[in-house]
Amino acid sequence: MARSLYEWLWQHEFWLPPGITWEDMQESEDTHYPQPRDLLLSIPFALILVVIRCAFERAIALPLSTKLGVRDKQRPKAQPNPVLETFYSTRRKNPEEGELLSLAKRCDLPVRKVEKWFRRRRNMDRPSLSKKFSEACWRFTFYIISFFTGLAVLYDKPWLWDHRECWTGYPQQPLQPSLFWYYMLELSFYWSLVFTLPFDVKRKDFKEQIVHHAATIFLISFSYCANYIRIGTLVMVIHDASDCFLEPTKIFNYTKWKKTCDSLFMIFSAVFLISRLVIYPYTVLYNTYYYSMEIFQPFFGYYFVNVLLIILQLLHVFWSCLIIHMVYKFILQGTMEKDMRSDTEESDKDEERDKIREKEKNGITYFSNVTSNGYIQRNGSEPLNNRAHLANGHAKER
C-alpha cells in the first residue's frame, strides 16, 4: 500500500508539464536536478539553527539588551491557589462573570481578588521585554544574512532582471550549488520557526503566523521538487527585504529610542507595501500565472503553486491593512502607537480606575491635592489633611 501511495504521489502528471516525464529529468555527471530527498536535510539544519539561536540569545542578545537599558517590569505574582490554577490551566485564562462568581464562592474570596489573581496569572505567562528583544535580534540577524545571501546568489542570474527567464528551458533547469544552499538556508529557518512556535512570543496574529509558516514551507518544498527554483528565489528575496526593517524597528521600540523607531517604522511600511503589494504581484504572481503559459500548458503543479502564492498574497493584504492603520495613527498623532499584534499587559491600576469610576457614578469619591507626581496611593487612601469629601455632589474641604 505504501508503494502504491508513493507511485501515485510522484506521478509526473502532478509535478511536470505535459510531455515531460521523470526520465527527462535524469541526472548526469555535469547536470543535477532538485531531488525531493534533499529536503530532509532541512530538518537537522533547522535543529542546528535552533541551537545557534539559543546560544546567540544568551551570549549576545541578552547582554546587549542590558547595555541598551532594556528593563523587564516587576510583575506581582499570583498567590498559589490550586482551585484557580486548575481552572486557569484546564478551562480558560479569562473567566466570564458567572465563572468568577462561582470561583469566588469556592475559594471564599471576594470577586475582585479572583479577578486580580487571573490578571496577575496572565501577566506571569506574558513574555518579558528582554525575551522580545532577544527574539527580534535573532530574526534581524538572520534576515540580514539571508537577504544579502540572496542578493549575492541572484545578482548575476538573468531571471532577476528578465522575469521570462524563469521559464527558459523549464523544467530542465540544472540546480546550481549556490541555489541549493540558499534554498536550504531559507527552508531550515522556517522549520526552526515552527519548532520554536510554542516558546516564541505569541501575538494577536498567531493563527495567521501558523498559516504563513505552513504556506511558506509548502511553497518552498513544492517549488524545489517541481524545480520552480527560479521563481522561488524571487519570492524569498522579496520577503526578506521588508523583514530587514521590521525587526530593528521592534528593537528600537523596546529600547525606547522613539524617534529612531518611528523613522524605521515609516521606512519599513514603505518597503513592505511596495514589495508585497506591487513588486510581489507583478514579479511573482503575474510572472507565474501568465509568463509560464508561454512555455507550457496548465497542469496540477501550475495550479497548486499559484494557490500557495495567492495565500501568501492574502496574508500580505491582511498585514498591509494593519500597517496602513498604524501609519494613519502616526500621521494623526505624530507618534507610532503600540504594535497592534502585541498582547497588552494588564495592570492592577486598571482595577483602581474601575473602582474610582464606580464611586463617581454613585456620587461618592475622594480626591487628593495635586502632587508633583500626580499619583493615587495604592491602598486607595490619602492623608486626612489632603482629603476632600464629596457629599450630595459637592466637594467640601475638611
Side-chain angles (χ1 to χ4, degrees), residues 61 70 131 307 366-367:
V70 177
K131 178 175 174 59
V307 166
Y366 294 94
F367 297 91

Side-chain angles (χ1 to χ4, degrees), residues 140-152:
F140 172 63
T141 302
F142 177 84
Y143 287 135
I144 283 289
I145 294 173
S146 178
F147 178 66
F148 283 103
T149 298
L151 291 181

